[in-house]
Amino acid sequence: MKHLPLIAALALMPALAGCGLHPLYSGGGSGTVATTLTRVEVGPIEGKAGWLMANALKDRFGASGAPLYRLEVKLDDQIIGLGVRSDDSVSRERRTLRARYQLIDLSKGTVLLDATAGSDAGLDVVNSEYGTIAAENTALERLSEIVADQIVSRVALYAQRTAASAK
């Protein structure tokens, strides 16, 4: 009985082979997707949110060698008050970070990928102005990481699909 889940998993393995799932980063660091990601340069992005986003993207791409692609990103960062107290002050905010990005082939100047990514975070507005500003900044840092992950995942998926169609 102890090994029943293992036996069931092994029995299902042949079925998974035919389902069309393939590892995104097959080949490890020398695979097609990983090497493509290292050839992406991140263009400058305006503002504090842009600085955070650019650093998050550069960390994930790990650029090395001469770039073949450039990623252009435009951000929309908004804070909206949601909850209202009886004295008409805001008690809850939502910070939203949206990115429109384009992957550009540097040799041809063509846009290979044009997409959007985004996320939002809720935060409490406290009596301390410092506390509220700190919460807003922390939310922006988290959102930059989340949106950067979405962008890199989409670029990696594009790289995998173009490599598969070239075969």
Side-chain angles (χ1 to χ4, degrees), residues 10-162:
L10 289 173
L12 290 175
M13 298 230 355
L16 287 176
C19 73
L21 292 177
H22 305 285
L24 184 60
Y25 291 100
S26 63
S30 60
T32 305
V33 173
T35 55
T36 300
L37 293 181
T38 62
R39 305 301 292 273
V40 176
E41 87 176 351
V42 179
I45 310 170
E46 291 184 26
K48 179 181 180 178
W51 180 79
L52 289 167
M53 179 64 67
N55 285 337
L57 288 168
K58 288 174 186 176
D59 287 346
R60 284 156 178 75
F61 284 127
S64 64
L68 298 176
Y69 310 98
R70 183 176 65 248
L71 187 71
E72 295 288 331
V73 181
K74 290 185 177 29
L75 294 177
D76 179 24
D77 177 27
Q78 295 182 3
I79 299 176
I80 301 170
L82 295 177
V84 180
R85 295 185 183 101
S86 59
D87 64 351
D88 287 334
S89 63
V90 174
S91 64
R92 188 103 175 121
E93 292 178 338
R94 178 175 37 192
R95 184 161 207 159
T96 305
L97 185 64
R98 301 278 180 249
R100 177 163 186 238
Y101 59 96
Q102 294 180 326
L103 184 66
I104 300 168
D105 184 335
L106 291 175
S107 65
K108 299 175 187 170
T110 57
V111 175
L112 303 173
L113 179 64
D114 188 352
T116 59
S119 188
D120 61 354
L123 49 128
D124 291 326
V125 177
V126 295
N127 292 335
S128 165
E129 188 174 331
Y130 173 77
T132 301
I133 291 171
E136 290 172 353
N137 287 335
T138 301
L140 180 59
E141 291 169 10
R142 278 195 330 263
L143 291 172
S144 297
E145 299 286 328
I146 292 167
V147 174
D149 285 340
Q150 292 174 6
I151 292 171
V152 172
S153 295
R154 182 65 176 94
V155 171
L157 189 59
Y158 170 80
Q160 181 192 41
R161 287 181 179 163
T162 55

